[in-house]
Amino acid sequence: MRLILLGPPGAGKGTQAKILSSKHGIPQLSTGDMLRAAVADGSAVGLRAKSVMDSGQLVSDEIVNEIVAERVDQPDSARGFILDGYPRTVVQAESLAAMLEGKSKQLDAVIELKVDEEALGRRMENRVRETLAAGGSVRADDNAESFRRRMSEYHAKTAPLSSFYARAGLLRVVDGMAAMSAVTAAIENQLAAAVRN
Ligand code: ADP
């Protein structure tokens, strides 16, 4: 199964991707995690990406397309994958389509998590406060200013992907404000319907 999770920052894509990944035995491919790993490694890509990520802007399509192309060629992706945080621009979506076509593979579904964005901002702030209070550390882009930037990048560059995938007949929308397990159940229903199609 090849699946994309779509939705604004903080919508719960990562949480749901992890649950689906262990249920279906296919990897979660999170470009955010891959980029943070590159930053932590101090690799050339990481050095270029760090300040862009910290400010809440998008890393270049070129860099991200390349890391995804490499990741999709790993053996664990052969049976399928869950893309979390990619594609984020129409250029990335077109690159993914060409990449899959080159391998004679298809996407099964694009699941969009619909959320209340004001509630997301509050959710992020509460999570940061609780984590810091417990002595933990938070992401460099988890502050009000970067979060607003991530949201505006989402509106400008990622939101157009909904109609892109609706035109392709792949888009399925789920209420992302429901309880975590209800969101998982709704996604599973949509996947079952997509596979029947
Ligand atoms: P969130 O969805 O919560 O904002 P992510 O972990 O998916 O967090 O992404 C964090 C940052 O990594 C983004 O703000 C961006 O700078 C970079 N990034 C992740 N995925 C992509 C992508 N597909 N294209 C460009 N930049 C990306």
Side-chain angles (χ1 to χ4, degrees):
M1 182 174 65
R2 283 174 289 273
L3 173 68
I4 293 175
L5 292 181
L6 209 59
K13 300 184 297 291
T15 304
Q16 294 299 330
K18 283 190 183 66
I19 297 171
L20 295 167
S21 164
S22 65
K23 276 178 108 169
H24 293 269
I26 52 176
Q28 166 198 15
L29 308 190
S30 157
T31 43
D33 286 350
M34 293 178 215
L35 289 166
R36 280 185 290 276
V39 170
D41 286 350
S43 70
V45 163
L47 290 175
R48 281 163 69 195
K50 185 177 188 324
S51 59
V52 177
M53 290 172 73
D54 288 355
S55 72
Q57 290 173 272
L58 293 185
V59 172
S60 77
D61 290 328
E62 195 193 355
I63 288 183
V64 179
N65 284 335
E66 197 173 312
I67 61 175
V68 172
E70 270 173 31
R71 186 62 188 83
V72 164
D73 276 337
Q74 302 292 311
D76 66 340
S77 299
R79 284 183 48 242
F81 47 75
I82 302 160
L83 287 168
D84 157 20
Y86 179 92
R88 249 176 164 92
T89 65
V90 171
V91 170
Q92 292 177 19
E94 285 166 347
S95 163
L96 174 67
M99 187 202 310
L100 291 175
E101 200 175 303
K103 301 176 195 297
S104 304
K105 289 181 172 169
Q106 281 177 346
L107 286 171
D108 294 293
V110 177
I111 308 275
E112 179 176 351
L113 300 179
K114 268 266 182 264
V115 290
D116 169 351
E117 291 177 18
E118 294 211 352
L120 289 190
R122 287 194 296 274
R123 215 195 252 178
M124 186 277 294
E125 280 167 1
N126 288 336
R127 196 180 57 207
V128 166
R129 205 173 304 121
E130 284 162 18
T131 307
L132 291 176
S137 58
V138 297
R139 274 167 44 181
D141 62 350
D142 268 344
N143 60 71
E145 197 184 320
S146 295
F147 190 78
R148 267 195 300 278
R149 189 70 199 252
R150 278 149 69 197
M151 221 28 123
S152 76
E153 290 279 75
Y154 174 80
H155 284 290
K157 297 173 185 166
T158 310
L161 293 184
S162 300
S163 44
F164 180 96
Y165 285 118
R167 280 195 299 276
L170 289 168
L171 187 74
R172 293 174 176 271
V173 180
V174 159
D175 173 14
M177 297 310 286
M180 200 162 79
S181 59
V183 176
T184 308
I187 294 174
E188 293 286 10
N189 281 336
Q190 293 291 348
L191 290 178
V195 169
R196 274 200 304 275
N197 260 348

